[in-house]
Amino acid sequence: MSYTILDFKPDTGLLNPRFDGYKLRLADSEATTRVYSLESEPVSPQKLPSSTPLGYDEACFCVHYNHLFVGPRDSTFIYIDSAGVAHMVYVDKHSPLQVVALFAIPQQESDSALAGYPGAYALSENLILLFDGVESVYVIQRLPAAKGREQWSAIGLFGIGPGPMAAGPAEPHTWRRMYSILGAALVREADQTLIRLHVSYRIDRAAETTAGLSGSRGIGACPSLALPGITASRQQTPPPFCVMAVEVDMPKLACNSVLQTAQPQIPATLYPRTVHTLRSHAIPVYCEYTAGDTYVLGVRDGVELDDTESASRPHSPSEASLSEVPPCIPDLYYWSQTSSDVTMCIELPVSVNAKQIQCVLTRVAITLRFSEAPECEAKYRLNHAMLCDEIVADDSVWTIENGRLLTLYLQKVHEGARWPTLFSKDDGVLETMDPNEFAVIRERLQRLTSDSFDPHRPAGVPTMALATEEVDQDNDELEQESSSVVFSVRDWRTGVASASSVAGSPGWLCPSFSRPLSQRQGGSGELPPVCLRFDVDGTVFGFNAENMHQSGGHVHADASTCPRHLGTFAALSYIQASKREKRFMYVDPDMTVAVLAETQRRIYVYHQVSSDNLNTAAQSVVDLGNATVAGETEELLGIQLSGRMLVVLREHSICTINLDRC
């Protein structure tokens, strides 16, 4: 099976070195904005207790969660109020806004799941998936209209939680999960209609060990993974998030047409099945489905080995995996990097000389062997271990100091590109050391001459591990902000990746607004673009779903068109970094505007440069006013794009903004 590198290299012809900046243009709020009060209950996101054990990534996910969802028809959107009622919003710039109640989601509590945020996912013009924010998912279908008003009924219900397996520790509240649905799609196989969706949740490591999830059979169970090349101690601390690919058979009565009855239905119990699972270091920021049995996943710092990929994916002789990295190496090496080079440091168990080391550095891999040193050979032998990105082999060197410290200096081909991992397959070893710490290690080694570095150190504990914990903690937030997103094209049935971006991919900025469902059905054409950081600019890349297909049982991706640079928003990366109150940031998939929304009142609109003026572009600021309820300022909870109309959801109102007047 061929393996494709997804190259996010910007097209220099689409960059604008002549750009001088944006010219501020204050929008007339009365002329551009209409405000409609909600006649429903307010939209009030669940307030989680301060004691809720959420990680940084989950907290960011909650803060930036978009509570306004794309509807089943063009210019329709869905929101869910605090009473759990889903409402459809009809947007027409020539007519007043219309809002129709669709379905009241039953409210429930769970001993195994936190009350997170509900969601709505349009599957077709007549089918919608509604998530209650806890564990239950409803499939609702359009009924014949009554007196000109929309009617919908639930036809199916299934759960995404662990169900009976939620026995676990004596205090279940200490390991309740918060589920989030990343995306959903309707597919047809032979005579069967299926729903496919991805679900993410954080794995509670202590509870996983106590409950023994590897023996569980619930849908929420992410099995304990036997990761090649990773020690048992490393497997006890796997990446913190589980990403499940779930498939559900649709009820026989369901189809893409209107339900042929005016009476609400009793929802049928549906039985989801887990197709495969992945483990990731963060909640994915991108999950889209193609026309065939493939999907595109974007995750900060990538996806670690999953329960199927290591066993199912064939390897060509030229493609080495981390199964070639010996079992002990994840715990016994450290690495650091600058903008131009990477340094790998290994503390050897016994003293060796340079003649005993055979180190071969190629453009993409490392081979490391030791002669007459079985302890080193057993622990550190590398056989063409693939690196995360390319190096300049002729400018890369290795040294041995005091017979015990082996250091490899690797010169980057792509200067300025940050490597999230040292090897192409993530072995879980984070960049935890400052370059200055290497000097401390060398100084300490120079004072030690015996084979036993520390007679009081427990066996198997590397000396360098003692100084890394504080550095790792201090950089947690920085890692989240600066890490790049690794994109991969994966097979739906196995989860095996047939294509992936390299570590040098530009950093993540924001997604694009979702296209109307009519443009996404069938999986053909462009998938939603993404905006990535390139220097000070925001570069927009698109994925062509028509070039991702299956042939002979294997997934293929045409790298010539997937991905491709669509356009650039000059200086967008620099500008967004200066905004401290930003909640939402999106780009128009048609490359006309980029939108940045604050937490409460202001929305910034950045226009593209015109063909007759490449030096400047317009920036509009729309002030929605300082509306207060019970003495508190209304928050912006959701934002979507309908043609040239921005639709903004607040707690007690919906606003429309005419971009043609900004």
Side-chain angles (χ1 to χ4, degrees):
M1 180 180 71
S2 60
Y3 192 81
T4 304
I5 297 296
L6 303 180
D7 189 1
F8 286 88
K9 183 178 180 180
D11 180 353
T12 56
L14 296 178
L15 302 178
N16 184 9
R18 297 168 53 188
F19 188 73
D20 291 331
Y22 290 94
K23 288 189 175 181
L24 180 62
R25 186 168 65 190
L26 291 176
D28 184 351
S29 297
E30 293 185 1
T32 61
T33 306
R34 293 183 180 180
V35 181
Y36 303 87
S37 297
L38 296 181
E39 297 181 2
S40 64
E41 293 294 318
V43 182
S44 301
Q46 175 75 23
K47 302 295 184 182
L48 296 175
S50 58
S51 59
T52 303
L54 293 185
Y56 178 84
D57 199 77
E58 286 174 301
C60 289
F61 177 82
C62 292
V63 169
H64 301 295
Y65 188 81
N66 195 337
H67 294 267
L68 188 62
F69 309 93
V70 175
R73 293 181 176 176
D74 291 358
S75 300
T76 63
F77 304 95
I78 301 172
Y79 74 88
I80 301 171
D81 65 24
S82 58
V85 179
H87 299 266
M88 184 97 79
V89 180
Y90 297 82
V91 178
D92 185 345
K93 67 178 181 180
H94 301 296
S95 305
L97 208 68
Q98 297 184 39
V99 180
V100 176
L102 299 181
F103 181 76
I105 304 173
Q107 302 297 289
Q108 66 161 331
E109 294 183 357
S110 171
D111 291 333
S112 60
L114 292 168
Y117 293 155
Y121 311 89
L123 300 175
S124 71
E125 188 175 321
N126 300 299
L127 289 170
I128 299 174
L129 209 65
L130 293 178
F131 174 46
D132 69 349
V134 185
E135 292 178 308
S136 298
V137 182
Y138 294 83
V139 183
I140 67 172
Q141 188 168 10
R142 190 189 303 270
L143 298 174
K147 298 181 180 181
R149 294 184 68 85
E150 292 274 357
Q151 288 193 115
W152 293 73
S153 175
I155 60 172
L157 165 67
F158 62 92
I160 58 175
M165 69 163 242
E171 297 180 337
H173 69 276
T174 63
W175 62 288
R176 289 189 299 169
R177 299 166 177 163
M178 187 173 72
Y179 294 97
S180 57
I181 295 180
L182 306 175
L186 193 70
V187 298
R188 187 176 295 276
E189 287 188 353
D191 296 329
Q192 181 65 50
T193 302
L194 306 170
I195 297 174
R196 290 177 177 173
L197 65 151
H198 277 84
V199 179
S200 176
Y201 66 87
R202 181 167 60 90
I203 303 165
D204 190 306
R205 293 167 179 169
E208 185 178 50
T209 303
T210 306
L213 297 190
S214 59
S216 303
R217 289 294 180 265
I219 187 174
C222 184
S224 296
L225 310 180
L227 306 180
I230 297 184
T231 61
S233 63
R234 194 71 191 177
Q235 291 187 39
Q236 292 173 3
T237 57
F241 290 96
C242 181
V243 180
M244 297 188 299
V246 179
E247 197 167 69
V248 186
D249 294 330
M250 283 289 290
K252 295 296 183 183
L253 57 87
C255 58
N256 278 341
S257 61
V258 175
L259 193 63
Q260 298 304 309
T261 176
Q263 300 299 320
Q265 302 293 302
I266 298 176
T269 300
L270 307 180
Y271 298 96
R273 54 188 175 273
T274 303
V275 181
H276 65 264
T277 59
L278 307 172
R279 292 209 181 195
S280 66
H281 294 282
I283 299 174
V285 295
Y286 190 88
C287 182
E288 294 292 338
Y289 305 91
T290 68
D293 279 350
T294 62
Y295 63 93
V296 181
L297 194 69
V299 186
R300 281 189 173 93
D301 294 332
V303 175
E304 193 159 292
L305 298 176
D306 56 86
D307 57 340
T308 57
E309 185 169 357
S310 58
S312 304
R313 178 179 165 187
H315 298 280
S316 64
S318 62
E319 183 188 353
S321 72
L322 276 190
S323 60
E324 295 162 344
V325 179
C328 293
I329 200 166
D331 286 334
L332 297 176
Y333 81 85
Y334 288 86
W335 68 284
S336 181
Q337 65 180 309
T338 66
S339 61
S340 60
D341 56 61
V342 175
T343 304
M344 177 183 182
C345 186
I346 300 174
E347 182 181 343
L348 300 176
V350 297
S351 180
V352 298
N353 57 51
K355 294 182 179 179
Q356 293 175 268
I357 302 173
Q358 294 85 47
C359 183
V360 179
L361 303 175
T362 69
R363 182 176 57 88
V364 295
I366 299 174
T367 298
L368 183 62
R369 302 294 300 271
F370 298 87
S371 61
E372 299 180 3
E375 298 92 340
C376 299
E377 179 74 4
K379 291 184 176 182
Y380 297 109
R381 181 180 64 182
L382 298 175
N383 182 21
H384 197 71
M386 299 292 288
L387 293 167
C388 187
D389 201 358
E390 298 176 339
I391 63 172
V392 183
D394 291 342
D395 294 339
S396 300
V397 297
W398 60 271
T399 63
I400 181 72
E401 299 180 39
N402 301 299
R404 300 291 293 273
L405 184 67
L406 176 62
T407 306
L408 284 70
Y409 300 94
L410 311 176
Q411 187 73 27
K412 294 179 179 179
V413 168
H414 304 111
E415 186 170 344
R418 183 180 180 278
W419 292 18
T421 60
L422 181 59
F423 296 102
S424 61
K425 288 282 189 171
D426 187 356
D427 58 0
V429 179
L430 300 177
E431 179 199 356
T432 56
M433 292 192 65
D434 182 281
N436 294 330
E437 293 184 75
F438 284 119
V440 175
I441 296 171
R442 291 191 183 94
E443 182 180 354
R444 178 171 52 81
L445 287 173
Q446 289 173 357
R447 297 197 305 266
L448 301 172
T449 57
S450 65
D451 288 342
S452 178
F453 276 43
D454 185 355
H456 304 292
R457 190 177 75 239
V461 177
T463 307
M464 289 184 289
L466 304 177
T468 61
E469 185 174 345
E470 182 178 351
V471 176
D472 196 25
Q473 292 174 350
D474 291 343
N475 287 331
D476 278 348
E477 184 169 340
L478 179 61
E479 289 289 330
Q480 292 286 347
E481 291 295 331
S482 62
S483 59
S484 63
V485 170
V486 177
F487 292 90
S488 58
V489 180
R490 293 182 175 268
D491 179 82
W492 171 259
R493 291 298 169 195
T494 65
V496 174
S498 64
S500 178
S501 59
V502 297
S505 300
W508 174 261
L509 271 185
C510 67
S512 65
F513 286 109
S514 296
R515 297 180 185 274
L517 185 63
S518 60
Q519 298 181 22
R520 293 184 282 129
Q521 286 180 323
S524 60
E526 294 282 347
L527 297 179
V530 295
C531 186
L532 305 179
R533 180 185 297 109
F534 181 76
D535 196 15
V536 298
D537 297 332
T539 52
V540 180
F541 288 84
F543 301 92
N544 196 323
E546 294 177 340
N547 294 85
M548 302 176 193
H549 57 278
Q550 281 193 310
S551 176
H554 299 311
V555 184
H556 298 275
D558 184 350
S560 65
T561 56
C562 173
R564 61 188 179 90
H565 187 187
L566 303 177
T568 303
F569 284 96
L572 184 63
S573 175
Y574 176 80
I575 290 171
Q576 66 84 31
S578 67
K579 305 296 183 184
R580 293 301 180 189
E581 296 294 327
K582 60 179 180 290
R583 169 160 286 182
F584 302 114
M585 183 174 173
Y586 291 91
V587 296
D588 174 13
D590 294 327
M591 289 295 303
T592 61
V593 294
V595 178
L596 193 153
E598 288 186 346
T599 303
Q600 293 179 338
R601 56 185 294 178
R602 292 186 184 86
I603 295 178
Y604 300 87
V605 181
Y606 300 95
H607 299 263
Q608 273 287 12
V609 296
S610 61
S611 57
D612 57 344
N613 182 10
L614 297 178
N615 296 327
T616 61
Q619 170 196 350
S620 302
V621 181
V622 180
D623 193 334
L624 297 180
N626 198 20
T628 59
V629 177
E632 295 187 3
T633 304
E634 275 195 274
E635 291 191 5
L636 274 62
L637 299 176
I639 187 168
Q640 293 291 351
L641 183 66
S642 173
R644 295 290 295 170
M645 296 282 288
L646 270 181
V647 184
V648 181
L649 176 67
R650 297 197 291 184
E651 294 177 83
H652 295 266
S653 61
I654 293 180
C655 308
T656 60
I657 301 171
N658 190 338
L659 293 178
D660 289 330
R661 297 182 179 179
C662 286

